[in-house]
Amino acid sequence: MVQDPYRVDVSLEPLDEYLVIQPTADETETRAGLILPASAAQAAACRTGIVTAIGTDVTGIEPGDKVLYPRDAGFEVRLGGIEVKVVKRSDLIARIHD
């Protein structure tokens, strides 16, 4: 079986109190149905994302949780063309229940 040499399968395992978040699109829709572009959302101080992995010391958060975190928190990492954020558990502001 020959694997595609251009495909990169990478997993990121955070250590200790760190977790990996895949940011959601900044484009949002208002209650009235207006779509705000990502450029307008970048003025917001917070972002939302989905937790994809957690370190051994992280409590109260599980992979798959949607969370709110400061825009400037953590480290941006690009893995296989996908942007993720690695942040400390203490940087999270809230869990979002849709």
Side-chain angles (χ1 to χ4, degrees):
M1 181 174 168
V2 177
Q3 292 192 359
D4 184 357
Y6 299 104
R7 183 169 180 221
V8 179
D9 286 325
V10 180
S11 65
L12 186 62
E13 180 182 349
L15 302 175
D16 305 322
E17 73 274 9
Y18 287 93
L19 48 97
V20 179
I21 299 174
Q22 186 169 1
T24 56
D26 279 336
E27 185 175 272
T28 58
E29 185 173 343
T30 67
R31 288 184 183 187
L34 297 173
I35 296 177
L36 300 175
S39 60
Q42 287 191 2
C46 297
R47 285 193 77 180
T48 60
I50 305 297
V51 176
T52 59
I54 61 172
T56 55
D57 296 342
V58 174
T59 59
I61 298 292
E62 296 294 327
D65 286 350
K66 188 174 185 179
V67 294
L68 181 68
Y69 61 96
R71 182 171 292 283
D72 59 351
F75 308 95
E76 291 185 12
V77 179
R78 196 174 242 345
L79 296 173
I82 297 173
E83 177 192 323
V84 296
K85 288 279 258 187
V86 178
V87 300
K88 281 190 173 185
R89 166 62 177 94
S90 59
D91 288 336
L92 296 183
I93 298 168
R95 181 183 303 127
I96 299 170
H97 300 285
D98 287 335

